[in-house]
Amino acid sequence: QVQLVESGGGLVQAGGSLRLSCAASGLTFRNYGMGWFRQAPGKEREFVAGITWSGSITYYTDSVEGRFTISRDNVKNTVYLQMNSLKPEDTAVYYCAADPDPVRVSRSPNGIDYWGQGTQVTVSS
């Protein structure tokens, strides 16, 4: 049984930082591309960041480029999202995603194999 468990969300002031973690189990982690998506109230789920199997290639949506960093530890079976210079518009539920195809997990949320339950990030102004 595959499980993706996110942690690290919370309330932070604008300009602050948070680090999200996603611990994976029940799958061969190194064989999966990993991604982070987010969904704000009343909006569709959107791609934030993605990373290939070894971590050698990363992808970001334009609005977080230069502020967020995705990374992974294939020994700990964990993917991270370091979020700096947070803005109120970053407020959303953040979801971890896993798919054997790292390109699929770095675009739209459609067709992705596995999802976590989400963690709330709230940025106050």
Side-chain angles (χ1 to χ4, degrees), residues 27-40:
L27 52 73
T28 305
F29 185 71
R30 64 180 181 276
N31 291 345
Y32 280 76
M34 300 298 295
W36 288 96
F37 289 74
R38 66 187 179 187
Q39 188 165 17

Side-chain angles (χ1 to χ4, degrees), residues 7-26:
S7 61
L11 173 64
V12 64
Q13 287 189 333
S17 298
L18 283 174
R19 188 194 196 202
L20 305 184
S21 300
C22 171
S25 60

Side-chain angles (χ1 to χ4, degrees), residues 27-37 47 49-60 69-75 77-80 97-107:
L27 52 73
T28 305
F29 185 71
R30 64 180 181 276
N31 291 345
Y32 280 76
M34 300 298 295
W36 288 96
F37 289 74
F47 165 73
I51 191 166
T52 54
W53 310 283
S54 66
S56 59
I57 300 174
T58 57
Y59 307 90
Y60 298 95
T69 303
I70 188 171
S71 61
R72 66 188 296 160
D73 185 331
N74 285 352
V75 174
N77 289 357
T78 301
V79 62
Y80 305 97
D99 195 277
D101 184 351
V103 175
R104 184 181 300 152
V105 82
S106 299
R107 291 180 176 173

Side-chain angles (χ1 to χ4, degrees), residues 93-115:
V93 177
Y94 283 71
Y95 296 91
C96 174
D99 195 277
D101 184 351
V103 175
R104 184 181 300 152
V105 82
S106 299
R107 291 180 176 173
S108 94
N110 298 326
I112 290 175
D113 275 7
Y114 302 110
W115 291 95

